[in-house]
Amino acid sequence: MGLRSALRSLLLFIWISEQWAKITADNCTNYRLQFERVFSVPGDVAMLNSTLVSPDVFDYKTVPYNITWWNLKTGQEMINQTDKVFVLRETMWFLNVTLEDDGEYVTILRTPCHCYMQSTKLLVEMPASGECGRPQKAYQELTKGVADTLNCPLMGYIKKLHSYNISSSISWYKGCDLVADGTDKYTYRGQTLLSFDMVDSHDDGYYTCTLTFSLGGFRGSVSETIVAPVIGLNFFMNPSKFLVTMECRIVGSNFTKKCLVFVPGPGMSFVDVTWSAGKDYILNTQPSERIYTSGQRIWTQDDPKGFWFETHLSFTELRDEDFNINYTCRAHSFRGYPEAFFTLVPADPNIILPIGCVLGGVMVLFIATVTVYYIFRVDLVLWFRRAFPILYANKDLDGKVFDAYVAYPQQYAFGFREEVEKFALQTLPQVLEKACGYKLFIAGRDCLPGQCMVDSVEENIQASRRFLLLYTASTFISHRHTSSTSNNNNIFKSDDESVDAESKMCESSTDFDSGGYTDTRQHLECVAAMHRALLERSLKVVLVELEEISSDQLSLFPESVQHLRKKQGAVCLWKEFKTRQKWRTLLMTRKDEGLRKDSLLSASSCSSSRFWKEIRYHMPVRGKRVAYPEKTTLLNV
Ligand SMILES: *[C@@H]1O[C@H](CO)[C@@H](O)[C@H](O)[C@H]1NC(C)=O
Ligand SMILES: *[C@@H]1O[C@H](CO)[C@@H](O)[C@H](O)[C@H]1NC(C)=O
Ligand SMILES: *[C@@H]1O[C@H](CO)[C@@H](O)[C@H](O)[C@H]1NC(C)=O
Ligand SMILES: *[C@@H]1O[C@H](CO)[C@@H](O)[C@H](O)[C@H]1NC(C)=O
Ligand SMILES: *[C@@H]1O[C@H](CO)[C@@H](O)[C@H](O)[C@H]1NC(C)=O
Ligand SMILES: *[C@@H]1O[C@H](CO)[C@@H](O)[C@H](O)[C@H]1NC(C)=O
Ligand SMILES: *[C@@H]1O[C@H](CO)[C@@H](O)[C@H](O)[C@H]1NC(C)=O
Ligand SMILES: *[C@@H]1O[C@H](CO)[C@@H](O)[C@H](O)[C@H]1NC(C)=O
């Protein structure tokens, strides 16, 4: 028994030596083992690709060549084997990997006058029991709170198959569960990407992508697993404490500058904060040195969760050579190297305000100017428009018919309120149309119920320069589906695929949603406008908030509205009345002469109140189109 197997190994050894002698006798240039190992598991497809066919090795475009693959373990040439091995030029495929396939494989490339060889290693491992992924894992991070993607590391396979004119399909798994394409969270993008709508901490985990294809009549697949930890946003330097600055100092004085870095995220991060003078790192940490850095101080913060890193740069005595150099504080981490710097400017001890300090003053002044602009921007812009109409292009030629499309909850829809309708149908046209000369499209006025269907809503929105979305706290708040509302939804679903796809933008975040804007026309208006505003960016949506919204109520709003409100803010009517009565009571008493005293509707309302100013600020510029009808008295109408 022992003898026979020993004899067999001996024969095998002799045979391999012979084969090997043949190969080496050819005086092949040996490129040795490829650095890239191929990892696989039993049952998968594995591709071994030789890199000898490259311009670095020989002129493969003009010189003819033959390639053979050899198994170093058995000394045999690798040939096509049904459902097992497929050899095509510089690439060898194991169609159904087994543990025995583990080993080194040699490629021999012969041209008429030369020979090249290279070996490639295949490592076959058993997956851990109970684990769906692969033992070898790639590492990709997901950033919390934003949209992010994972990239399947199988592009090499896809490209190779593509060069054979073979198509392949990819599917993603989280742990063992299939991640379906096009669910509210995940989308398959491009050839290899899995994109996340918004990453949250539950997305942490193992993701496996599986590529399936047919090769040589065999249907197989190959998988890769990615470890995807969810991490906090990129860190930032504390801007209030560390700006790009100039410091005025006197030669001979001492000086210390603090660098603070904040790294958001729950886990401890490995961050090194360094100082450099020009290009040279300051490595001294001893206070006995003239220039030194303090050790790194670290502490945590709870809200938002994260870590602070602090390092000081100190000069015990400033000298001439220390001035006019960039001192850079840099945070080193695997996420990047953000940095900030300052420069020292010599201050003449005899002059009280040296140049550098004046420059510092200029910066402060600049910040103040920016702030002033932000506070008074509405008035400034309106004044500018009136003072220099010539500067603004005439909008009449842009092919639009209306200045704004006005949307509000309609009668019979949930969230409908009489006072809102009054505001939309009476107050708004009185001020914007009669006093300010804008042309509005108001659905409840300009088209009859039942007339405003998909096409006309789309058309009219397209013909408008702005979209005014009026809402109150209850406008988007949900109520349970009734049979009639679900019927309505179905109509729109079958009507237009794209409306359906985007409709989730206008649905509130709760499960049983069907708020005022999720039914019938309002829903369409909202969907079409949000689509244009957020995806195409071709329409400006102005949010008009009629009553104060608490953060609880806001969280029930459709995500698109929440997003827009956060991004550009809303024009708030309720702010006008906060100190006075409730706007609702005011509007309700319109019939009774109470309105005459109401500044909201006074003759000069087109320019006077903050609310209308803000609306006009958001409305398109009217250029030189009409004389300014500011003096129109509208209460006689
Ligand atoms: C082997 O290759 C070397 C260099 O490429 C060459 O000088 C030598 O003549 C070759 N020997 C044979 C036997 O081809
Ligand atoms: C395979 O090797 C060839 C060179 O021989 C190279 O051009 C090609 O990009 C490689 N393909 C992959 C998928 O690595
Ligand atoms: C490649 O192999 C074919 C047949 O095996 C042979 O006729 C041809 O000469 C070889 N070409 C080179 C460059 O070795
Ligand atoms: C294996 O089969 C393919 C397709 O039939 C063929 O192109 C290729 O040359 C074969 N390889 C070998 C080493 O016979
Ligand atoms: C791969 O090989 C194993 C055993 O060698 C066999 O049981 C299995 O069915 C094969 N897989 C495919 C897809 O042919
Ligand atoms: C690839 O396949 C398509 C159809 O399957 C065919 O029309 C095309 O000619 C093929 N291209 C090559 C390069 O074989
Ligand atoms: C820096 O100088 C000031 C006086 O100019 C002195 O009070 C202070 O102790 C000095 N600091 C250090 C660290 O030497
Ligand atoms: C300091 O950095 C700024 C911005 O990177 C650069 O413009 C400037 O030339 C630098 N000054 C010196 C002295 O290196």
Side-chain angles (χ1 to χ4, degrees):
M1 198 66 174
L3 190 67
R4 250 171 74 178
S5 75
L7 197 62
R8 237 179 49 199
S9 342
L10 184 67
L11 283 175
L12 188 65
F13 176 77
I14 291 169
W15 190 77
I16 291 175
S17 308
E18 241 171 53
Q19 297 288 325
W20 211 226
K22 259 196 235 161
I23 291 169
T24 42
D26 286 334
N27 197 13
C28 268
T29 309
N30 194 346
Y31 280 84
R32 304 187 184 283
L33 185 63
Q34 273 200 78
F35 177 72
E36 298 285 340
R37 275 105 227 263
V38 179
F39 293 96
S40 190
V41 298
D44 257 16
V45 175
M47 175 183 82
L48 272 61
N49 185 46
S50 163
T51 52
L52 289 177
V53 186
S54 115
D56 301 335
V57 178
F58 72 106
D59 185 6
Y60 68 94
K61 286 206 171 121
T62 54
V63 178
Y65 61 92
N66 280 343
I67 299 183
T68 48
W69 280 87
W70 300 79
N71 184 344
L72 193 57
K73 210 159 48 178
T74 64
Q76 279 171 311
E77 190 186 341
M78 301 297 294
I79 47 161
N80 282 346
Q81 278 173 265
T82 313
D83 292 354
K84 184 85 188 101
V85 180
F86 184 79
V87 184
L88 197 59
R89 291 187 300 271
E90 77 274 18
T91 312
M92 174 165 68
W93 298 83
F94 288 96
L95 300 174
N96 186 357
V97 169
T98 61
L99 282 174
E100 291 81 65
D101 294 332
D102 185 284
E104 249 177 71
Y105 296 86
V106 177
T107 336
I108 302 202
L109 189 150
R110 284 196 179 86
T111 63
C113 42
H114 215 91
C115 168
Y116 308 89
M117 64 192 278
Q118 179 189 44
S119 52
T120 311
K121 192 164 193 138
L122 173 67
L123 284 160
V124 183
E125 296 166 291
M126 283 305 283
S129 61
E131 199 188 273
C132 295
R134 296 292 175 264
Q136 292 291 330
K137 294 176 180 69
Y139 178 89
Q140 291 176 20
E141 284 166 351
L142 290 170
T143 304
K144 188 174 171 172
V146 297
D148 209 340
T149 54
L150 291 179
N151 191 353
C152 179
L154 287 172
M155 201 58 197
Y157 280 78
I158 295 174
K159 275 197 184 140
K160 190 56 108 183
L161 290 166
H162 189 75
S163 75
Y164 299 168
N165 208 6
I166 290 176
S167 64
S168 53
S169 71
I170 216 164
S171 41
W172 284 88
Y173 298 82
K174 177 166 196 252
C176 300
D177 305 324
L178 181 71
V179 168
D181 183 15
T183 49
D184 31 320
K185 184 168 190 102
Y186 309 102
T187 320
Y188 289 16
R189 279 210 348 244
Q191 288 176 292
T192 57
L193 298 181
L194 176 67
S195 115
F196 292 70
D197 237 22
M198 161 100 106
V199 174
D200 60 48
S201 41
H202 305 298
D203 293 332
D204 189 283
Y206 291 162
Y207 290 83
T208 301
C209 53
T210 298
L211 188 75
T212 311
F213 51 88
S214 290
L215 184 62
F218 182 87
R219 188 155 184 82
S221 69
V222 55
S223 298
E224 283 277 358
T225 299
I226 301 167
V227 188
V230 171
I231 51 135
L233 274 177
N234 236 332
F235 48 78
F236 54 89
M237 304 246 179
N238 182 344
S240 61
K241 296 193 176 124
F242 196 72
L243 279 170
V244 178
T245 50
M246 281 194 178
E247 300 274 349
C248 310
R249 293 296 141 160
I250 299 166
V251 176
S253 66
N254 66 22
F255 174 69
T256 295
K257 184 94 187 160
K258 178 161 75 179
C259 178
L260 264 175
V261 177
F262 181 64
V263 184
M268 179 67 178
S269 307
F270 296 98
V271 175
D272 231 350
V273 180
T274 62
W275 277 102
S276 54
K279 287 199 171 67
D280 305 323
Y281 282 104
I282 299 169
L283 301 170
N284 302 329
T285 53
Q286 298 306 316
S288 55
E289 304 276 349
R290 195 176 63 83
I291 305 173
Y292 66 95
T293 61
S294 69
Q296 190 158 303
R297 208 160 70 81
I298 304 169
W299 66 96
T300 59
Q301 178 183 299
D302 282 336
D303 190 28
K305 221 167 169 49
F307 288 85
W308 285 100
F309 297 82
E310 183 192 82
T311 305
H312 294 265
L313 172 66
S314 301
F315 299 78
T316 53
E317 187 198 339
L318 285 173
R319 291 189 189 154
D320 285 333
E321 67 256 33
D322 300 333
F323 293 98
N324 301 316
I325 293 177
N326 282 343
Y327 293 96
T328 307
C329 168
R330 191 174 289 122
H332 300 257
S333 87
F334 60 92
R335 303 275 305 162
Y337 311 96
E339 57 182 43
F341 67 89
F342 74 92
T343 308
L344 286 170
V345 179
D348 187 332
N350 302 317
I351 300 171
I352 290 150
L353 260 186
I355 293 291
C357 304
V358 172
L359 285 178
V362 167
M363 199 165 79
V364 170
L365 216 67
F366 173 73
I367 291 166
T369 318
V370 171
T371 318
V372 166
Y373 175 74
Y374 265 95
I375 294 172
F376 295 107
R377 78 182 190 289
V378 171
D379 299 80
L380 274 173
V381 166
L382 290 181
W383 177 79
F384 241 86
R385 283 186 195 169
R386 198 167 41 207
F388 307 103
I390 201 98
L391 291 179
Y392 296 95
N394 194 334
K395 283 275 198 273
D396 282 355
L397 303 175
D398 64 1
K400 307 258 180 187
V401 183
F402 305 106
D403 287 307
Y405 185 109
V406 179
Y408 63 95
Q410 303 283 307
Q411 213 159 0
Y412 310 121
F414 194 80
F416 168 78
R417 288 230 300 265
E418 203 186 335
E419 58 273 18
V420 174
E421 182 161 71
K422 270 208 176 93
F423 180 77
L425 293 184
Q426 293 172 12
T427 318
L428 212 54
Q430 270 179 340
V431 178
L432 289 185
E433 290 190 328
K434 299 244 166 60
C436 305
Y438 286 114
K439 193 151 183 251
L440 305 180
F441 180 91
I442 305 175
R445 178 189 73 176
D446 299 327
C447 70
L448 300 169
Q451 208 182 349
C452 300
M453 288 329 287
V454 187
D455 289 345
S456 79
V457 166
E458 284 269 352
E459 239 166 58
N460 289 319
I461 291 178
Q462 203 154 17
S464 305
R465 296 183 184 102
R466 297 286 186 273
F467 184 87
L468 300 188
L469 182 62
L470 312 188
Y471 62 88
T472 62
S474 62
T475 300
F476 305 103
I477 307 292
S478 21
H479 68 109
R480 300 205 165 222
H481 275 291
T482 62
S483 57
S484 78
T485 58
S486 32
N487 278 345
N488 274 341
N489 279 340
N490 285 342
I491 291 170
F492 295 125
K493 271 177 187 143
S494 53
D495 241 24
D496 186 342
E497 283 286 333
S498 72
V499 168
D500 181 40
E502 264 101 38
S503 65
K504 78 173 158 64
M505 290 196 305
C506 290
E507 274 163 22
S508 59
S509 338
T510 48
D511 274 346
F512 291 100
D513 57 333
S514 187
Y517 276 92
T518 61
D519 293 331
T520 61
R521 188 177 79 235
Q522 290 92 38
H523 181 53
L524 274 178
E525 285 169 343
C526 180
V527 167
M530 289 302 168
H531 180 83
R532 290 212 161 81
L534 296 174
L535 300 181
E536 292 174 8
R537 292 178 201 282
S538 61
L539 177 71
K540 190 169 169 193
V541 173
V542 182
L543 300 179
V544 183
E545 198 162 296
L546 300 176
E547 67 183 5
E548 201 168 355
I549 310 285
S550 72
S551 57
D552 284 348
Q553 288 164 330
L554 186 65
S555 67
L556 297 174
F557 277 26
E559 258 172 50
S560 56
V561 177
Q562 282 185 40
H563 173 79
L564 212 59
R565 189 175 180 273
K566 202 162 141 199
K567 197 174 115 207
Q568 63 178 45
V571 183
C572 302
L573 179 63
W574 52 267
K575 279 191 185 151
E576 293 281 304
F577 303 102
K578 223 171 164 194
T579 50
R580 293 181 255 158
Q581 296 157 271
K582 284 213 146 193
W583 71 277
R584 246 185 284 170
T585 21
L586 249 165
L587 288 174
M588 287 308 276
T589 55
R590 263 176 40 82
K591 299 183 213 89
D592 335 322
E593 301 295 298
L595 75 174
R596 274 181 200 284
K597 284 164 235 125
D598 177 13
S599 74
L600 186 67
L601 298 167
S602 69
S604 59
S605 56
C606 184
S607 62
S608 70
S609 94
R610 183 91 205 150
F611 171 76
W612 291 115
K613 269 188 191 167
E614 271 190 58
I615 293 271
R616 282 171 51 214
Y617 169 74
H618 288 293
M619 288 295 280
V621 181
R622 282 170 307 120
K624 295 175 291 179
R625 185 173 64 187
V626 286
Y628 210 73
E630 197 126 45
K631 294 285 172 281
T632 315
T633 46
L634 51 99
L635 286 173
N636 307 339
V637 186

